[in-house]
Amino acid sequence: MDALVTTEWLANELTATDLRVVDASYFSDASRDAAAEYEAGHIPGAVFMDLGEIADLSNPLPSMLPSPEKFASRMQSLGLGDGSRIVLYDDSPLHTSARAWWMLRTFGAHDVAILDGGIAKWKAEGRALATGKESLRHRHFTVWADDKGVRTLDQMKANLDSAAEQVVDARSAARFTGEEPDPRPATHAGHIPGSKNLHYATLFNADGTWKSPDDLKAAFDAAGIDLSKPVVATCGSGITAGVLVFAAHLLGNDAALYDGSWSEWGADRTTPKAMGAA
C-alpha cells in the first residue's frame, strides 16, 4: 500500500478484511464538532479517531503524544490491530490525518496511508457514505513506541549549536516572522533561530489533494530545505508539522517532528526567539 492512496483505490479495497479506514478529523476551535460530523456522514466502515483525547491530557501543552499504553488501548478499542492496513482521512483545514499518520507510525503501525483529497473528494465524486457509529470489534495492538521521529525541547536546544538537523516551521509567514502575535497567552512571537518557514497549506491543490512530488520538492527547495539532509518539522502545537513530515516522507526523507513545537518553545523563557524572515 502506498503512503498516499486515491479515492478510486480505496473504493476498490473497502471490502478487504485487513483494511481499516479512520476519520482523523480534528479542529482547533469549537466551531465544528468532528465527532458529530463523522456520525453525520463518513466513509463506510470508517471509525473515528479522537485526536483531542488521544493525547497526554496531563501535560499542560496541547496535543502531546500519549503514553504507548494509552495509544495501544485506544487503537484496540477502534478495532485497529497488528496486521491492519490503515487508511486515514480528514475534513479539517489543518489536514490532521498527517498528524494521525505520524502518531501511528511512532507507535508501531507501519502499513498506514492517507486518502488523497480526504472525504471532501470522496463526497464530490458521489461515493457512498454511512451515518451513525460503526460496530467495533477489539483487536490486539501491540504496545510499542519508536521515538526516532520525535524531538524534545532539549534536543531542539542542542540542535541550535550542532545544526545537525534543518528545522522547518509549518506555521503561516505572519506567525513565523512574529508580525502576528501568538494566540496562546504568555507565548512569545517569532520562531526558533535558524529555522525555515514552509506554510503547510501551500502543499495542497485547490481541491485539497496533495501537490505532485515535483511541486512538493520545489516548495521545500524554495524554503531553503535540502531533503538530502536531516529535517525536523515544527509548528504551533505539533499538528500541522505532521503535514511537512508526511510530505517529506513522500519525497524519501524521514523527517522528525518536534512535538512541543512553538507552544512549548515560545512559552519557555529560557529559549532564544528570532523575529522577521528566515
Side-chain angles (χ1 to χ4, degrees):
M1 186 170 67
D2 294 334
L4 187 64
V5 300
T6 65
T7 50
E8 181 181 12
W9 181 93
L10 180 59
N12 290 331
E13 290 285 321
L14 269 187
T15 58
T17 57
D18 65 334
L19 187 77
R20 299 290 177 270
V21 184
V22 179
D23 184 328
S25 299
Y26 174 78
F27 307 111
S28 58
D29 58 54
S31 64
R32 293 175 67 182
D33 183 332
E37 290 188 19
Y38 160 81
E39 291 191 31
H42 56 265
I43 294 174
V47 297
F48 178 66
M49 183 176 179
D50 187 352
L51 291 179
E53 194 278 330
I54 305 175
D56 181 0
L57 301 182
S58 68
N59 194 314
L61 295 170
S63 309
M64 296 293 284
L65 284 173
S67 68
E69 293 77 14
K70 177 176 180 177
F71 189 83
S73 173
R74 297 300 186 272
M75 295 308 100
Q76 288 176 173
S77 67
L78 290 177
L80 307 180
D82 300 341
S84 296
R85 290 185 299 155
I86 301 171
V87 175
L88 301 154
Y89 72 84
D90 67 75
D91 193 27
S92 169
L94 303 177
H95 299 276
T96 48
S97 55
R99 168 75 184 191
W101 175 88
W102 174 75
M103 291 173 69
L104 278 157
R105 285 171 58 87
T106 297
F107 290 117
H110 294 292
D111 210 358
V112 187
I114 289 178
L115 178 64
D116 198 14
I119 195 170
K121 189 170 190 292
W122 184 272
K123 289 178 177 177
E125 293 167 349
R127 299 185 186 274
L129 293 173
T131 58
K133 295 180 179 179
E134 299 285 340
S135 57
L136 306 176
R137 183 163 69 89
H138 278 55
R139 295 176 184 270
H140 179 70
F141 189 102
T142 299
V143 177
W144 174 261
D146 183 353
D147 64 1
K148 72 175 183 294
V150 185
R151 293 295 174 271
T152 65
L153 177 64
D154 286 343
Q155 289 172 319
M156 296 302 290
K157 285 180 176 179
N159 192 63
L160 287 176
D161 296 324
S162 71
E165 294 182 310
Q166 305 164 95
V167 181
V168 58
D169 192 320
R171 295 175 299 158
S172 67
R175 290 274 300 282
F176 179 83
T177 61
E179 175 188 347
E180 182 180 305
D182 194 272
R184 301 170 186 83
T187 303
H188 201 284
H191 58 268
I192 298 172
S195 60
K196 306 293 186 180
N197 185 216
L198 176 54
H199 190 207
Y200 74 93
T202 63
L203 302 184
F204 298 92
N205 298 309
D207 65 353
T209 56
W210 289 78
K211 288 187 173 179
S212 69
D214 285 347
D215 286 345
L216 291 177
K217 185 177 185 303
F220 279 99
D221 288 345
I225 297 297
D226 182 351
L227 289 173
S228 69
K229 298 177 180 178
V231 174
V232 56
T234 183
C235 60
S237 59
I239 299 291
T240 58
V243 171
L244 302 189
V245 171
F246 185 75
H249 175 79
L250 293 177
L251 298 171
N253 183 295
D254 288 327
L257 189 150
Y258 171 29
D259 202 24
S261 283
W262 194 253
S263 60
E264 181 174 47
W265 190 280
D268 189 323
R269 296 189 179 186
T270 70
T271 56
K273 286 88 174 171
M275 304 281 281

